[in-house]
Amino acid sequence: ARAVVYSKYGKPEEVLRVISHKLPPLTSNTLHLRFLASPITQSDIQQIEGTFLIKPKFTKTLGSLKFKDEVAIGGNEGVAEVIAVGKNVKNIKIGDKVVMSKIGFGTWRTYAEATEDDILRLPISIGTYQAATLRSNIFCAYRLLKDYAHLKKGDFIVQNGANGGVGRAVIQLAKAWGIKTINIIRDRPISGRSEVETQLAMLGANYVIEEFEWPSQNTLYRWTGDPTGKNVSLALNTMGGQSILMMSHILRDESQMVTYGTFPKITSLSIPKIEISTDSLMVQEIVYRGFWLPKWLQTHSREEKVKMLNDVIHLVKEGKLNDVPHSVIDWGDVEDDEEKLKDELLKMFEHVGVEFTGRKQVIRFQT
């Protein structure tokens, strides 16, 4: 097995290294996994740097290797195939495809030992890259739409950051459930805007506007059918800034605005600032909430996760949820030395979180 590990927090290029090891022998209660693909996300990098609130699991033993200093394995998401099953494992079989049930498992590796509690089985087969990125995008979008408003067919929501992975998933889930969307994207060159509008419309977006392009009351009347222009049931924020004021202005009274994203980090300096009008608090009585998927995954039951996974997988199979745009690197070839493997991985880091790319960086493991 090949794995990407680190023994202290810091810049990825300074602290990461690639190691080779053998898996421990299978026990009656464990599984062996072969990883197929894993994305590289901003939160993965934050975790390596030590600025992510949920810490990875550090260990002095990894299969056949023992370390002087404890190490953690990078990566939090991914999809794997079960290649061996202990005799006491009842609900998983060889050949099943699985995703991780919690944050911190360590997915940047070719093979791994796991327990049944570490994973969620995919009930039906879907694309490898879509399975690898389910958790950060589609799971987050699912919870945002399910947990903060009793949305019904024909209701409107508004979101900023609509071109991100979660934003795209929100658009597709909303379309599948008959909910209409007003989508805010960052200002960009005209040619870039046209391309993004086309992409989002193909996913099911009803209306797309730029960050400082506030729609008039007449426009909102035409869109929503409400002469007041305040007929939106839920607002989703991941960008901060001026769009907060516009979104709150078009919300129904006593609705909720939910902020989500890759934060929280230990330092709050990089968290987008939120501007709130006194009218939204005192007259509209808008409720401002926060949602962080890693915390939800740590605190909710396996049954809730399985239900969400099954709902999402069936929408994928029906063609109602499409792959996020992604760039792929083949990684882990047994003939490549460990320094080469590290360099290949770091090249992908350069593209994580780059403005306007809208593409996930995904590792495809060569095993």
Side-chain angles (χ1 to χ4, degrees):
R2 295 288 183 85
V4 181
V5 303
Y6 54 104
S7 56
K8 61 181 180 179
Y9 298 122
K11 295 180 179 179
E13 63 270 22
E14 296 176 0
V15 300
L16 291 182
R17 68 183 194 271
V18 177
I19 57 102
S20 301
H21 68 95
K22 292 182 179 180
L23 288 182
L26 191 70
T27 72
S28 58
N29 295 311
T30 61
L31 311 146
H32 283 172
L33 307 177
R34 177 173 71 92
F35 271 95
L36 306 176
S38 176
I40 301 172
T41 69
Q42 194 67 47
S43 57
D44 294 330
I45 295 174
Q46 290 172 4
Q47 195 170 57
I48 294 165
E49 293 172 339
T51 60
F52 198 65
L53 284 182
I54 294 179
K55 301 304 180 186
K57 179 182 178 181
F58 282 86
T59 178
K60 284 193 173 184
T61 304
L62 187 57
S64 59
L65 291 182
K66 296 186 184 298
F67 302 94
K68 179 180 178 182
D69 299 314
E70 291 186 329
V71 300
I73 299 172
N76 286 293
E77 301 176 60
V79 60
E81 179 183 6
V82 178
I83 59 171
V85 178
K87 64 181 182 180
N88 292 340
V89 177
K90 303 301 182 185
N91 299 312
I92 303 292
K93 64 182 185 300
I94 292 174
D96 281 347
K97 303 296 192 301
V98 299
V99 295
M100 306 304 107
S101 66
K102 295 180 181 179
I103 298 294
F105 180 81
T107 57
W108 295 349
R109 47 178 156 174
T110 53
Y111 294 92
E113 177 190 50
T115 66
E116 196 168 352
D117 189 53
D118 292 325
I119 59 175
L120 298 172
R121 183 179 66 86
L122 299 181
I124 52 180
S125 178
I126 62 171
T128 297
Y129 306 124
Q130 196 156 24
T133 58
L134 273 178
R135 202 173 65 191
S136 63
N137 296 320
I138 299 176
F139 281 10
C140 184
Y142 182 100
R143 297 262 58 100
L144 290 170
L145 293 176
K146 286 286 189 182
D147 294 349
Y148 296 98
H150 298 292
L151 297 170
K152 59 184 183 299
K153 190 173 182 179
D155 281 349
F156 273 82
I157 69 158
V158 60
Q159 65 165 341
N160 60 27
N163 190 38
V166 174
R168 288 169 178 255
V170 164
I171 290 169
Q172 293 178 83
L173 286 172
K175 181 183 178 183
W177 296 334
I179 300 160
K180 298 183 178 181
T181 58
I182 300 171
N183 301 279
I184 302 170
I185 58 176
R186 292 191 187 277
D187 293 347
R188 63 193 69 217
I190 293 175
S191 59
R193 171 174 175 169
S194 177
E195 180 182 354
V196 170
E197 285 181 338
T198 300
Q199 291 175 1
L200 298 187
M202 290 177 65
L203 295 177
N206 298 96
Y207 306 103
V208 179
I209 58 177
E210 288 191 335
E211 189 174 2
F212 298 103
E213 181 187 353
W214 288 30
S216 68
Q217 187 169 327
N218 285 337
T219 298
L220 290 166
Y221 181 20
R222 189 171 71 251
W223 290 354
T224 68
D226 189 310
T228 68
K230 296 178 181 289
N231 194 29
V232 175
S233 302
L234 177 67
L236 305 177
N237 164 56
T238 190
M239 284 173 23
Q242 287 288 319
S243 64
I244 295 285
L245 297 175
M246 189 276 282
M247 293 197 298
S248 64
H249 181 69
I250 66 176
L251 280 173
R252 291 175 179 168
D253 290 354
E254 300 180 13
S255 295
Q256 298 198 57
M257 181 180 295
V258 186
T259 293
Y260 70 95
T262 59
F263 40 85
K265 297 167 68 172
I266 289 176
T267 172
S268 62
L269 295 178
S270 63
I271 296 177
K273 300 300 185 287
I274 298 175
E275 297 186 37
I276 299 175
S277 72
T278 53
D279 278 355
S280 70
L281 290 171
M282 300 172 66
V283 179
Q284 293 174 268
E285 297 185 83
I286 302 301
V287 177
Y288 292 86
R289 301 285 298 273
F291 174 75
W292 194 38
L293 182 64
K295 181 178 178 181
W296 190 96
L297 291 170
Q298 298 292 96
T299 57
H300 284 71
S301 69
R302 183 177 183 83
E303 289 72 27
E304 290 174 282
K305 297 173 193 175
V306 169
K307 181 186 185 308
M308 175 173 61
L309 177 64
N310 289 343
D311 286 352
V312 164
I313 292 296
H314 283 94
L315 288 173
V316 171
K317 201 65 177 178
E318 292 168 6
K320 295 178 180 178
L321 287 170
N322 297 313
D323 271 342
V324 297
H326 54 263
S327 299
V328 176
I329 180 175
D330 291 329
W331 189 91
D333 193 307
V334 293
E335 296 182 1
D336 290 342
D337 64 45
E338 289 157 1
E339 199 59 39
K340 179 181 178 182
L341 291 173
K342 176 182 174 180
D343 290 343
E344 289 176 347
L345 194 69
L346 291 176
K347 286 178 183 177
M348 296 193 75
F349 282 30
E350 298 172 6
H351 303 286
V352 176
V354 175
E355 192 72 58
F356 301 155
T357 63
R359 303 182 73 84
K360 280 273 188 181
Q361 305 298 308
V362 179
I363 304 165
R364 177 170 56 197
F365 295 102
Q366 302 297 292
T367 54

